[in-house]
Amino acid sequence: MSKNPEPLRLDALQAACASCNLRELCLPMGLAPEAVERLDDLIGLRRRVRQGELLFDAGAPFEALFAIRSGFFKTTIGTEDGREQVTGFQMSGDLLGLDGIGPGRHDVRAVALEDSSVCVMPFASLERLAVDLPDLQRSLHRFMSREIVRDHGTILMLGTLRADQRLAAFLVGLLQRLSRRGYSSQALVLRMTRDEIGSYLGLKIETVSRMLGRLQDEAVIAVHQREVSVLQPERLRRLAEGAD
Amino acid sequence: MSKNPEPLRLDALQAACASCNLRELCLPMGLAPEAVERLDDLIGLRRRVRQGELLFDAGAPFEALFAIRSGFFKTTIGTEDGREQVTGFQMSGDLLGLDGIGPGRHDVRAVALEDSSVCVMPFASLERLAVDLPDLQRSLHRFMSREIVRDHGTILMLGTLRADQRLAAFLVGLLQRLSRRGYSSQALVLRMTRDEIGSYLGLKIETVSRMLGRLQDEAVIAVHQREVSVLQPERLRRLAEGAD
DNA sequence: CGTCTCCTTGAGGTTGGTCAAACCAGGTGG
DNA sequence: CCACCTGGTTTGACCAACCTCAAGGAGACG
């Protein structure tokens, strides 16, 4: 079933960015309408990725960047000896594949955590187009740079925070990004398992579970399976900032 | 003393990249000679940074990228509440400031760990030039992407390795980069303090000291103050890979 | 020779990991 | 409708790794 070729879909040929409500969050951010139109031409197709399927694997040749239209992904990095870690979670408007530009191969593996759809932007064309459109160039730079900044945040988290603080930082970060997309900033549904959260935070699943339990005991959050709601936003934020 | 303006130096006006022995490691990597020449024009000046001095501070407006000609830097990220962490160490041929492109302000603070000299590349000019020189564009992308990949490595290290393995990974990484620059791959002089190593690795100084001691006891390395030499490269490498 | 910074070493405590068992929600099939 | 299975999650007891606190050593510099 998972090997079935995706049947051609009507929307695969629709105009993209110009009518996309993620315009102001995604790569075309701040571009002039004509520029957006040319970017549209470049986006040959959309691709659907079902929950659990790979968008791309680590080591695969890098050919395109992917902009998430809808859905949710995780990226993981692995080593020969079997160590594996989640490096991030991506949602609508985020770009996937930036790490492949340098080496020409993907550095991470991208897996859909729910049924998703992405815009495929062949990188060679994108680079060519960017020569004509300095704004596009700048936007691309901004996205790469933002990825670096985000990674620095992750490094700081892993290097300096305790387990409960990491969890708080994780929740605060997710909520922030969700609220920018119009969702509540008080409640969310986790798209990933405890195990994946743990991998991202450098913790074991048992610790994740215990810390969620503790935060709940202290009435900072309420947890029901994958639904989390924040009861004391201020306290959660302070925890995430490293306050004792 | 540290506030003295640097006296004008002759070499501040010399042609740069074309005659630089870091050409094949640095931004001009793989560029055609004409392109290198135009890049040279752009590099208005060099800047010397003494040991302990800031190249730029976090939050400062981003105006230029810096290519390290000689010397050694650390970059640190900090938060209001005083947490601070080293995000990386940079040596000749490395680019500093990439994280500032997106937000328009530097995300990290760059401090020289020894007397250093950098090429200043005003970013606005660089971006303009890159429109004319697709190869330069590509090189810039490669560097940004490489930074992302490097950060992923750091994340993996912080998330999955034990203290001794982190230290091994740190040493292996440094040695690799040094050997690419013509230095020995068996021995090195640490440019940073134990404290800075610990900050980078997410460990306390005492743990760094103990782990260095342990690796020495097991005759994997020999340590004399800041000089480290590798006695069993293979074992060190395996440790760094996460082998038990 | 004193002082400063950086580093090492030891004793004891805390955090998070390991191992093992049980739980729970959602599906499947009788 | 219920028994059973499955994957994901929770919980407890125990332990190892790392941190904290405190003391002392070693080199550099005035």
Side-chain angles (χ1 to χ4, degrees):
Chain A
M1 155 85 49
S2 72
K3 290 289 181 75
N4 271 0
E6 181 62 25
L8 260 175
R9 299 181 53 90
L10 273 184
D11 70 2
L13 296 171
Q14 282 177 7
C17 305
S19 62
C20 179
N21 56 354
L22 295 168
R23 199 167 52 254
E24 286 311 315
L25 214 63
C26 191
L27 194 62
M29 186 172 60
L31 292 192
E34 314 85 67
V36 173
E37 219 170 288
R38 296 190 57 188
L39 184 58
D40 264 349
D41 292 343
L42 177 149
I43 298 176
L45 74 159
R46 306 248 186 80
R47 188 168 145 200
R48 297 202 155 239
V49 190
R50 302 277 173 85
Q51 178 166 33
E53 286 184 353
L54 256 63
L55 176 58
F56 53 79
D57 201 351
F62 167 74
E63 278 151 7
L65 289 178
F66 303 94
I68 304 178
R69 257 179 79 71
S70 67
F72 203 90
F73 287 82
K74 68 168 176 183
T75 48
T76 64
I77 187 175
T79 57
E80 321 76 59
D81 54 301
R83 265 187 303 150
E84 175 150 358
Q85 185 173 9
V86 172
T87 56
F89 298 104
Q90 294 79 21
M91 54 183 80
S92 55
D94 288 340
L95 249 45
L96 282 166
L98 290 169
D99 48 82
I101 296 178
R105 327 209 128 257
H106 286 290
D107 180 48
V108 298
R109 155 184 297 193
V111 181
L113 295 184
E114 60 179 38
D115 291 356
S116 303
S117 139
V118 300
C119 299
V120 182
M121 307 185 284
F123 189 66
S125 321
L126 192 62
E127 232 176 5
R128 243 178 285 119
L129 181 58
V131 171
D132 264 22
L133 300 176
D135 284 351
L136 178 60
Q137 193 65 261
R138 199 154 310 127
S139 188
L140 185 58
H141 289 163
R142 237 193 286 275
F143 267 82
M144 298 190 75
S145 170
R146 206 169 72 174
E147 176 96 7
I148 295 172
V149 171
R150 202 203 299 281
D151 286 346
H152 287 168
T154 305
I155 289 171
L156 186 62
M157 184 266 295
L158 291 173
T160 67
L161 293 185
R162 282 199 319 265
D164 55 343
Q165 299 170 328
R166 292 188 200 182
L167 210 37
F170 167 69
L171 291 173
V172 168
L174 266 186
L175 284 166
Q176 231 169 46
R177 293 163 68 197
L178 286 169
S179 80
R180 223 174 297 139
R181 285 161 177 79
Y183 296 96
S184 164
S185 59
Q186 315 285 335
L188 79 168
V189 176
L190 297 172
R191 251 68 232 215
M192 66 296 282
T193 67
R194 303 285 194 264
D195 218 355
E196 288 162 336
I197 296 175
S199 172
Y200 176 60
L201 299 177
L203 301 171
K204 295 295 160 180
I205 180 175
E206 294 95 329
T207 305
V208 172
S209 181
R210 275 189 253 272
M211 293 302 137
L212 281 174
R214 182 191 296 181
L215 287 177
Q216 174 153 251
D217 288 350
E218 298 187 1
V220 178
I221 60 176
V223 187
H224 294 101
Q225 293 160 207
R226 298 210 170 171
E227 288 155 42
V228 178
S229 52
V230 181
L231 306 177
Q232 303 185 50
E234 187 48 32
R235 239 180 111 192
L236 191 67
R237 202 192 53 72
R238 279 208 317 276
L239 248 190
E241 302 292 337
D244 218 351
Chain B
M1 155 79 65
S2 72
K3 289 290 181 75
N4 271 0
E6 183 61 28
L8 260 176
R9 300 180 52 90
L10 273 185
D11 70 3
L13 296 172
Q14 282 176 6
C17 305
S19 63
C20 179
N21 56 356
L22 294 167
R23 200 168 51 254
E24 288 310 316
L25 215 63
C26 191
L27 194 62
M29 186 173 60
L31 291 192
E34 315 85 67
V36 173
E37 219 170 287
R38 297 190 56 187
L39 184 58
D40 264 348
D41 293 342
L42 177 149
I43 298 175
L45 73 159
R46 306 249 184 79
R47 188 168 144 199
R48 297 204 155 239
V49 190
R50 301 278 173 83
Q51 178 167 33
E53 285 183 354
L54 257 62
L55 176 58
F56 53 79
D57 201 352
F62 167 74
E63 277 149 8
L65 289 178
F66 303 95
I68 303 177
R69 256 179 81 72
S70 67
F72 204 91
F73 287 82
K74 69 169 175 181
T75 47
T76 65
I77 187 175
T79 57
E80 323 75 59
D81 54 303
R83 266 187 303 149
E84 176 150 359
Q85 184 172 10
V86 172
T87 56
F89 298 105
Q90 294 79 21
M91 54 182 80
S92 55
D94 288 340
L95 250 46
L96 281 166
L98 290 170
D99 49 81
I101 296 177
R105 330 207 126 255
H106 287 290
D107 179 48
V108 298
R109 154 183 298 190
V111 182
L113 295 184
E114 60 179 38
D115 291 355
S116 304
S117 139
V118 301
C119 300
V120 181
M121 307 185 285
F123 188 67
S125 322
L126 192 63
E127 233 177 2
R128 243 178 285 119
L129 181 58
V131 170
D132 264 21
L133 300 176
D135 284 350
L136 178 60
Q137 192 64 259
R138 199 155 308 127
S139 188
L140 185 58
H141 289 163
R142 239 193 286 276
F143 267 82
M144 298 190 74
S145 169
R146 206 169 71 173
E147 176 95 6
I148 295 172
V149 171
R150 203 202 300 283
D151 286 346
H152 285 168
T154 304
I155 289 171
L156 186 62
M157 184 267 294
L158 290 173
T160 67
L161 293 185
R162 283 199 317 264
D164 55 343
Q165 299 171 328
R166 292 187 200 182
L167 210 37
F170 167 69
L171 291 172
V172 167
L174 265 187
L175 284 165
Q176 231 170 47
R177 293 163 68 196
L178 286 168
S179 80
R180 224 174 296 141
R181 285 160 178 81
Y183 295 96
S184 164
S185 59
Q186 316 285 337
L188 79 167
V189 176
L190 297 171
R191 251 67 233 216
M192 67 296 283
T193 66
R194 303 285 195 266
D195 218 355
E196 288 162 337
I197 297 175
S199 172
Y200 177 60
L201 299 177
L203 302 171
K204 295 293 159 183
I205 181 176
E206 295 96 329
T207 305
V208 172
S209 183
R210 276 188 252 272
M211 293 302 135
L212 280 174
R214 182 191 296 181
L215 287 177
Q216 173 153 251
D217 288 348
E218 299 187 2
V220 178
I221 61 176
V223 187
H224 294 101
Q225 295 158 207
R226 297 211 171 170
E227 288 154 42
V228 178
S229 52
V230 181
L231 305 177
Q232 302 184 50
E234 187 48 31
R235 238 179 112 194
L236 191 68
R237 202 191 52 71
R238 279 209 315 277
L239 248 190
E241 302 291 339
D244 218 350

